Amino acid sequence: MRKVVGAKLHGIHVTDANIDYHGSITLDPDHCEEAGILPLEFVEIWNKNSGARISTYVILGERGSRCCILNGAAARTCQPGDALIICSSIYVDAEEIPSLNPKVLAFDRDNHVIDRLSYKVDFDDKGRYRFAIHDETGAKQPIPLKSKV
């Protein structure tokens, strides 16, 4: 089994950090559903501002709120306004990787979705792996792909 990207929220901004909570990250259900992140699912969180890396589980906040709230110990790693990358993982057999289509949502400073991307792995004519990023129209994007914000 290989651990691979299941879904990603790229550049979502912290809206609050609450130390007096039992733990986890609170996210807008609309964002989670669109990307494919489930409630109680463990995610990796990478803070683009500080470089901090943590792991916690997702709880759902108010629908439509665009919230991204770090709770409990996780609140010590982020400040409101910090840009985060939140990534879920899945375990698959290596031969299943080309059948995956992980969704990536990219955000502006107000946590509106500004890009809907997907990752794709396939093989070239010599049987070697190829990796591509596609936008929501299916158009290939450059690699590495720069953030718009």
Side-chain angles (χ1 to χ4, degrees):
M1 299 296 282
R2 303 293 177 112
K3 181 179 176 181
V4 298
V5 174
K8 189 166 83 166
L9 306 179
H10 188 95
I12 193 166
H13 289 78
V14 176
T15 58
D16 198 6
N18 183 354
I19 192 74
D20 296 319
Y21 188 80
H22 287 266
S24 68
I25 185 167
T26 306
L27 295 170
D28 184 325
D30 291 339
H31 293 155
C32 291
E33 288 169 3
E34 185 173 349
I37 296 173
L38 301 174
L40 302 180
E41 182 172 6
F42 269 86
V43 292
E44 301 295 320
I45 301 170
W46 307 312
N47 187 321
K48 291 176 69 174
N49 294 65
S50 70
R53 291 173 165 255
I54 62 170
S55 175
T56 192
Y57 61 95
V58 172
I59 62 175
L60 300 179
E62 182 181 340
R63 189 172 295 280
S65 67
R66 300 186 317 276
C67 68
C68 177
I69 305 166
L70 280 292
N71 302 302
R76 296 270 188 218
T77 68
C78 302
Q79 301 293 315
D82 284 357
L84 306 180
I85 299 168
I86 300 171
C87 185
S88 73
S89 303
I90 58 174
Y91 290 89
V92 298
D93 289 321
E95 47 281 348
E96 292 178 67
I97 292 173
S99 68
L100 301 176
N101 193 24
K103 300 292 181 234
V104 179
L105 302 181
F107 296 86
D108 68 10
R109 294 199 179 279
D110 295 317
N111 290 344
H112 292 102
V113 177
I114 57 171
D115 258 334
R116 289 169 172 85
L117 306 166
S118 61
Y119 291 160
K120 185 66 182 158
V121 173
D122 64 3
F123 299 99
D124 67 13
D125 56 358
K126 295 182 181 176
R128 299 174 298 190
Y129 283 112
R130 274 192 306 214
F131 175 80
I133 301 171
H134 296 270
D135 68 14
E136 62 189 316
T137 70
K140 271 191 171 182
Q141 299 300 298
I143 298 175
L145 181 61
K146 289 192 167 210
S147 298
K148 291 183 179 178
V149 182

